[in-house]
């Protein structure tokens, strides 16, 4: 009984003997990191920042990017992940910038109106003397 590890499969073909010609391994550079699909960010954008359905579009592209990554097409996964990232950024901008802009306009408008009211109150509280009408 053979108890040596690792056991070899008897059905597997036997490896070829090294021939006299030498083989050269060529490295083409540093391997690129796996593409990002931004799925968690897309789910957050879909649930909370879904103005104009941009969060849903980001989620769709994130799922497509993950599918392509699992299928082994890394270039398509990078392209789709980049689109998902762009739609996530647009969803955040479209959701956060207009309320902040509106808040800024309300605050500056309130400050302007308070200054205007203070100046007009001083104008209407002016008392004139009888000598001013001569």
């Amino acid at each position: 009984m053979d108890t040596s590890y690792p056991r070899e499969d008897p059905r597997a073909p036997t490896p070829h003997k090294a021939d006299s010609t030498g083989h050269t391994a060529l490295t083409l550079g540093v391997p690129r990191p796996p593409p990002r699909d931004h799925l968690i960010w897309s789910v957050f954008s879909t649930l909370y920042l879904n103005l104009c359905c941009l969060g849903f579009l980001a989620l769709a592209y994130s799922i497509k990017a993950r599918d392509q990554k699992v299928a082994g097409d890394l270039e398509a996964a990078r392209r789709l992940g980049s689109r998902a990232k762009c739609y996530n950024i647009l969803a955040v901008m479209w959701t956060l910038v207009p309320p902040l802009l509106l808040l800024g306009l309300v605050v500056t408008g309130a400050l302007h109106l308070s200054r205007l009211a203070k100046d007009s109150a001083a104008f209407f509280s002016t008392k004139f003397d009888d000598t001013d009408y001569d």
Side-chain angles (χ1 to χ4, degrees):
M1 175 191 251
D2 183 22
T3 58
S4 65
Y5 286 96
R7 292 186 182 156
E8 296 178 9
D9 187 13
R11 294 171 287 171
T14 59
H16 297 288
K17 301 283 185 201
D19 42 331
S20 62
T21 60
H23 295 285
T24 305
L26 178 65
T27 57
L28 296 175
V30 180
R32 295 174 69 181
R36 300 187 62 186
D37 53 14
H38 308 286
L39 186 64
I40 295 174
W41 188 12
S42 297
V43 168
F44 179 79
S45 292
T46 302
L47 293 177
Y48 298 111
L49 308 171
N50 201 19
L51 188 69
C52 298
C53 295
L54 291 173
F56 181 72
L57 284 172
L59 182 63
Y61 279 111
S62 292
I63 292 171
K64 286 181 181 183
R66 179 155 294 185
D67 289 343
Q68 291 298 320
K69 184 166 61 171
V70 169
D73 189 3
L74 297 181
E75 195 56 42
R78 278 188 186 84
R79 187 179 67 250
L80 293 168
S82 175
R83 284 187 184 170
K85 182 180 177 181
C86 289
Y87 281 122
N88 279 323
I89 291 171
L90 283 174
V92 168
M93 290 298 126
W94 272 96
T95 304
L96 296 180
V97 169
L100 291 175
L101 216 83
L102 184 64
L103 179 69
L105 287 173
V106 167
V107 167
T108 56
L111 290 174
H112 180 70
L113 284 176
S114 69
R115 182 179 299 158
L116 188 65
K118 185 194 306 182
D119 292 343
S120 62
F123 176 75
F124 288 117
S125 65
T126 304
K127 295 185 179 176
F128 296 105
D129 292 335
D130 290 333
T131 58
D132 291 335
Y133 296 109
D134 292 336

